[in-house]
Amino acid sequence: MAFDVSAINPLGFGCMRFTGREDNTISTEYTSQMIDRFLEAGGNYFDTAWAYPNSEAALREALVKRHPRDSFMIATKCVAWGNYCNGPEDLEKQLQESLQNLGVNYVDVYLMHNLGGVRTAGFEKNNAWEFVKSVKERGLAKHIGFSAHCTPEELEQFLQDYPEAEVVQLQVNYLDWESPSFRERECVEIAHAAGKPIIAMEPVKGGLLANPPKAVCEILDKEMPNDSYATAALRFAASAPGVAITLSGMSTTEQVEDNCRVFSDFKPFTAAEQDAVKRAQKAMEESGIVPCTGCDYCAKVCPQGIGISGSMTALNYYINFDDAVAAAYQLGFVVRFNAGKKLPDECIRCGACEDVCPQGIKILDCFDRIAEEIVPHRKTSVLMK
Ligand code: SF4
Ligand code: SF4
């Protein structure tokens, strides 16, 4: 059966950021509310992964157990980088755990998770594509493909190496569209020319574009007064050539409603809006904000359990508001409630986190800046004592 994009609502529910409780753990009741609103608005595609903590189990409780299996599609993924795969048998173990976590006997889409850079070697070493093909042959997945954060040259190679891939999941957002390190436009054009439906991920860059610096807000307020900052970013991604599904990692019912409203009466980006986001991108770059999406892939490989994404949040707070005392407070707060619980001063500088970061962030340089500009204010910040 071919991958039929006409049967899928163009807004996909990204399930990496389910929360609902004050301590950032997942509430089944709240997730059910979000999912019900999404389904009522016509949504039917859910993107999760074996590597997203507790996400598959939350989907089982809030979606699979409560709605007919043929009323939704689930995509999940296997991972072969970091310490998660020490042989092909670990891939099979991940698959079986995914099916069990989700409470299903098949998934609609099964993907290799996050190809590109040094991460690709793990998939090659473990013969992961042959495994993914076998998942489809055994009737445990209806469709197969891969997600990637990669260069256009790498993508060309993946398309050659994995010709049976039916879908390609790529990062698409206005911040990285023309950036020399991400070259997203080229990647999208390559996948589109190869005839692969594109699933756009990180359209809001892990929330960064939903709450951008003041200079960016001023541009978007003027040019797109009817869009929230998040929906402006979603519309940009959904307007890109070949994009069939745009994933939004929603964490609140308000976000679900805001996003569904935009897609129920979808208006593609105009030329004037394209020009506005080009200026917004420049303003964002000039702000120096760290482009961390909070994916926490770094936390999965850090031997010290450092709160890396939380530290980036604190650094961005400092950059955005120029308030080192408040950022010092944030540093103590966010590392306690995010993946990794230790402060950057316990980092042993092994570099493992930088190797897997799909955003190419110079994490150690960021730590240096935190040490120099934020940590000296710990004593001033009463809550950090
Ligand atoms: S460099 Fe530091 S933060 Fe990064 S993985 Fe190693 S110990 Fe963890
Ligand atoms: S530093 Fe990189 S790997 Fe870590 S959470 Fe941010 S974007 Fe993800």
Side-chain angles (χ1 to χ4, degrees):
M1 194 204 318
F3 188 79
D4 179 11
V5 294
S6 68
I8 307 171
N9 188 286
L11 174 65
F13 203 131
C15 302
M16 189 165 80
R17 296 187 169 85
F18 284 150
T19 53
R21 294 202 184 98
E22 280 179 8
D23 62 356
N24 272 349
T25 59
I26 298 173
S27 155
T28 300
E29 190 188 343
Y30 194 70
T31 306
S32 301
Q33 281 176 31
M34 286 197 294
I35 283 177
D36 289 356
R37 290 192 196 182
F38 180 69
L39 292 171
E40 280 158 24
N44 60 355
Y45 190 90
F46 295 83
D47 174 84
T48 182
W50 176 83
Y52 299 164
N54 303 321
S55 167
E56 293 178 326
L59 266 185
R60 178 190 67 230
E61 295 301 314
L63 174 70
V64 177
K65 282 188 178 176
R66 299 174 58 253
H67 295 277
R69 180 67 185 90
D70 60 359
S71 65
F72 55 83
M73 296 176 72
I74 296 179
T76 193
K77 316 181 190 82
C78 61
V79 61
W81 42 265
N83 300 325
Y84 289 96
C85 186
N86 297 308
E89 64 284 357
D90 283 352
L91 294 173
E92 181 66 28
K93 200 163 157 256
Q94 288 179 23
L95 169 70
Q96 295 305 329
E97 284 179 12
S98 286
L99 294 172
Q100 196 177 357
N101 291 340
L102 288 162
V104 296
N105 51 22
Y106 72 92
V107 294
D108 299 276
V109 180
Y110 201 61
L111 306 170
M112 292 195 288
H113 190 171
N114 195 9
L115 284 163
V118 297
R119 300 174 303 277
T120 305
F123 292 96
E124 287 171 350
K125 194 172 116 205
N126 291 293
N127 219 359
W129 187 242
E130 287 306 310
F131 166 74
V132 168
K133 284 198 292 179
S134 85
V135 176
K136 184 177 175 186
E137 283 155 15
R138 286 182 277 162
L140 301 175
K142 289 192 172 174
H143 305 285
I144 54 175
F146 59 86
S147 74
H149 289 86
C150 62
T151 63
E153 292 75 20
E154 285 175 305
L155 181 58
E156 298 266 23
Q157 191 62 51
F158 298 151
L159 291 169
Q160 264 184 44
D161 293 346
Y162 317 128
E164 304 88 352
E166 296 162 271
V167 290
V168 176
Q169 190 158 314
L170 297 172
Q171 177 166 291
V172 183
N173 61 61
Y174 70 75
L175 189 60
D176 302 320
W177 186 243
E178 295 285 1
S179 90
S181 29
F182 290 96
R183 298 163 68 194
E184 282 180 7
R185 181 181 53 73
E186 289 175 71
C187 287
V188 165
E189 286 172 0
I190 288 166
H192 186 40
K196 307 287 181 186
I198 298 164
I199 301 170
M201 60 179 163
E202 301 290 3
V204 191
K205 192 93 180 171
L208 198 62
L209 303 183
N211 196 12
K214 198 162 156 250
V216 174
C217 296
E218 282 167 5
I219 295 167
L220 299 181
D221 286 345
K222 190 161 169 244
E223 298 294 339
M224 282 169 263
N226 299 323
D227 277 312
S228 64
Y229 305 129
T231 58
L234 282 177
R235 284 182 53 235
F236 173 84
S239 302
V243 169
I245 304 168
T246 301
L247 299 175
S248 176
M250 296 174 270
S251 307
T252 67
T253 50
E254 290 75 22
Q255 288 168 357
V256 173
E257 279 163 11
D258 190 32
N259 293 350
C260 289
R261 181 183 52 74
V262 168
F263 277 80
S264 68
D265 179 26
F266 186 73
K267 293 188 175 56
F269 247 49
T270 63
E273 288 173 330
Q274 294 283 4
D275 184 58
V277 292
K278 265 187 209 156
R279 283 183 280 129
Q281 186 273 339
K282 198 158 179 292
M284 182 73 96
E285 217 171 76
E286 285 166 4
S287 76
I289 286 283
V290 182
C292 175
T293 63
C295 66
D296 282 331
Y297 296 157
C298 50
K300 295 183 196 343
V301 299
C302 175
Q304 292 293 93
I306 308 291
I308 302 170
S309 62
S311 302
M312 297 305 140
T313 305
L315 180 56
N316 276 342
Y317 188 90
Y318 171 59
I319 292 167
N320 224 351
F321 300 105
D322 195 23
D323 184 342
V325 176
Y329 166 70
Q330 284 264 333
L331 188 63
F333 183 75
V334 291
V335 297
R336 283 171 179 75
F337 290 106
N338 286 267
K341 306 289 178 211
K342 291 188 188 160
L343 291 168
D345 51 13
E346 294 193 53
C347 167
I348 56 169
R349 302 186 83 85
C350 66
C353 51
E354 292 191 350
D355 284 347
V356 300
C357 177
Q359 308 303 326
I361 295 169
K362 300 282 176 227
I363 293 169
L364 296 178
D365 290 353
C366 293
F367 283 179
D368 288 343
R369 191 165 177 201
I370 287 169
E372 280 165 29
E373 298 176 41
I374 298 179
V375 169
H377 295 270
R378 273 195 210 175
K379 288 199 177 64
T380 324
S381 174
V382 176
L383 289 161
M384 283 293 292
K385 281 181 183 170

